[in-house]
Amino acid sequence: MAGALLGRALAALPSARHVLRSCTSYSVEKWFSKQVSSDNPPKRPLSAYFRFVKDQQPIFRKQNPEISVLEIAKKIGYAWKELPVSEKQTYEAAAKIERQAYKEELAIYKAQLSPAQLLALKEERRQKLAKRKAMKKKRELTVLGKPKRPRTGFNIFMSEHFQEAKGISVQAKLKNLYEEWQNLSSSQKQTYQQLAEDDKIRYENEMKSWEEQMVDVGREDLIRYKNKTFQKSRVAPGKKTVGKVVSKERAKTIKKIQRTKASSPEIMAKLKTKSSEE
C-alpha cells in the first residue's frame, strides 16, 4: 500500500520515472515492514536533500576518483542547487511519505513505553540535539577562523614523541607517553612548560584580533564574557562613541531602582542618591 501511494505521488510529477529508478534504495515499504517494539525504535528518515546526496555519491565518486570527500560534497550541493524543481519535488514527495510513515511508527513505539522510558527517550533526544548544536557551532567557529586554543606542556611533549611512542593502539601510546611525562625531571618539563606559556601569549594576541573582527561583522555573541566590555569602548565606523562601561555595582543599583515599587518617595530618593554618589 505504501509503495502504491509513493508510485502514484511520483507518477504525477515530471521526470518521475527517471528519479524513481534512482530512489529504489529508499523504499518506503521498509517503514511499514519493520517489526516495531520497545527495543527497536524507528529510525528517522532522510530528508529530500540527503536522499539526493546518498543517491549521487557513488556517481560523483566514480566520475571524480581523484578529488576529496569534501570536494564531492560541494559538487553534490551545487548539483542539488541546480536541480530542476520538478526533480526536487520527486525527492521531496518521497521524503514526505517516509516522514508520515515514521510518525506513525513512532507513535506505536512510544505507546509501548513506560513513563520512565519516555523520559529516558526525551533525555536522549535532548542530548543528541545538544551534541548536534555543539558540532554545528564548532564548524561555524572553524569557518570564521577562530584561533586554536593554547596547548599544555604535556600536549606539546605528546605531539613531539607520539610517532616513536611504544604501543600499537592510540590508547596504549597515550598511556606510555603520560608515564614518560610523569617521570621527566622538573628541568626537562620546564622546556615544554615554557613553550606552553609562549603558546598562551600567541593565543591571547590572536583572540584579541579575532574578537575585534567579530565585533566589526556584528558577531558580538562570539566574544568571551570576560572580554565583552572592550567592545563597549570601541568606536565602530559611522557610529557615535559609546560611553564608559557601567560598573557591576552601579548596574545592580540601577536595576534595584527600576524594580522597586516602594510607595515611599523617601526610599526612592535615597536609592537615587546612592546611585549618583557611585
Side-chain angles (χ1 to χ4, degrees):
M1 180 179 176
L5 287 172
L6 176 60
R8 287 199 296 272
L10 297 177
L13 298 170
S15 306
R17 291 182 181 178
H18 168 71
V19 182
L20 179 57
R21 284 196 296 269
S22 66
C23 292
T24 53
S25 59
Y26 306 105
S27 173
V28 181
E29 302 257 346
K30 66 180 181 180
W31 296 105
F32 292 91
S33 62
K34 289 191 306 180
Q35 293 296 321
V36 181
S37 69
S38 59
D39 297 326
N40 184 28
K43 292 184 179 180
R44 188 177 295 271
L46 296 173
S47 65
Y49 172 67
F50 280 107
R51 289 166 65 87
F52 178 77
V53 169
K54 193 170 182 180
D55 190 39
Q56 296 297 318
Q57 271 182 339
I59 299 172
F60 276 83
R61 194 175 290 118
K62 187 176 181 180
Q63 293 175 347
N64 308 275
E66 73 286 351
I67 66 175
S68 65
V69 175
L70 181 61
E71 288 299 320
I72 289 177
K74 288 181 180 179
K75 285 181 176 292
I76 294 176
Y78 180 77
W80 172 258
K81 186 178 179 181
E82 297 299 316
L83 195 69
V85 175
S86 59
E87 294 190 19
K88 277 187 179 180
Q89 287 177 342
T90 305
Y91 282 99
E92 288 166 357
K96 184 178 180 180
I97 293 175
E98 283 199 358
R99 281 198 302 272
Q100 183 59 37
Y102 167 75
K103 289 179 180 179
E104 293 175 7
E105 286 205 358
L106 186 62
I108 296 172
Y109 170 71
K110 287 184 175 181
Q112 302 176 50
L113 301 180
S114 66
Q117 289 174 321
L118 284 171
L119 286 174
L121 183 67
K122 186 177 180 180
E123 175 61 20
E124 183 183 357
R125 174 67 176 162
R126 188 195 65 78
Q127 291 179 2
K128 284 183 179 180
L129 290 174
K131 185 177 180 181
R132 192 180 305 166
K133 185 178 179 181
M135 290 177 65
K136 183 179 179 181
K137 184 175 181 180
K138 185 177 180 181
R139 286 195 297 268
E140 180 188 28
L141 292 175
T142 301
V143 171
L144 291 172
K146 184 177 181 180
K148 292 184 178 180
R149 295 187 65 83
R151 298 181 296 170
T152 64
F154 173 66
N155 290 146
I156 298 172
F157 170 80
M158 182 178 61
S159 63
E160 288 186 0
H161 298 86
F162 186 80
Q163 294 298 330
E164 66 267 20
K166 297 178 181 179
I168 299 175
S169 65
V170 174
Q171 290 82 359
K173 284 178 176 287
L174 290 175
K175 182 180 178 181
N176 289 326
L177 283 171
Y178 180 73
E179 291 177 355
E180 288 180 29
W181 172 258
Q182 292 293 93
N183 293 328
L184 289 180
S185 64
S186 299
S187 59
Q188 289 174 315
K189 285 184 179 180
Q190 182 61 36
T191 303
Y192 296 101
Q193 289 168 347
Q194 184 58 53
L195 290 172
E197 288 298 320
D198 294 341
D199 201 35
K200 281 183 182 179
I201 296 173
R202 182 274 311 165
Y203 174 72
E204 288 301 327
N205 290 336
E206 290 183 359
M207 279 297 295
K208 183 179 179 181
S209 175
W210 182 78
E211 287 179 331
E212 288 177 353
Q213 292 176 15
M214 292 301 100
V215 172
D216 289 338
V217 298
R219 292 303 306 272
E220 291 88 349
D221 57 301
L222 299 177
I223 308 302
R224 294 171 295 179
Y225 177 77
K226 63 180 180 180
N227 286 340
K228 282 188 177 181
T229 54
F230 89 90
Q231 60 181 290
K232 294 181 179 292
S233 59
R234 295 182 73 240
V235 181
K239 293 185 179 181
K240 295 181 180 180
T241 305
V242 181
K244 293 182 180 180
V245 180
V246 180
S247 68
K248 290 184 178 180
E249 290 301 322
R250 181 173 173 78
K252 288 180 181 179
T253 305
I254 292 172
K255 287 182 179 180
K256 190 174 181 180
I257 292 173
Q258 292 173 343
R259 294 175 181 176
T260 299
K261 295 182 179 180
S263 57
S264 173
E266 290 80 5
I267 295 176
M268 292 298 295
K270 287 181 181 179
L271 288 173
K272 290 180 180 178
T273 302
K274 182 179 178 181
S275 176
S276 61
E277 288 175 352
E278 291 177 353

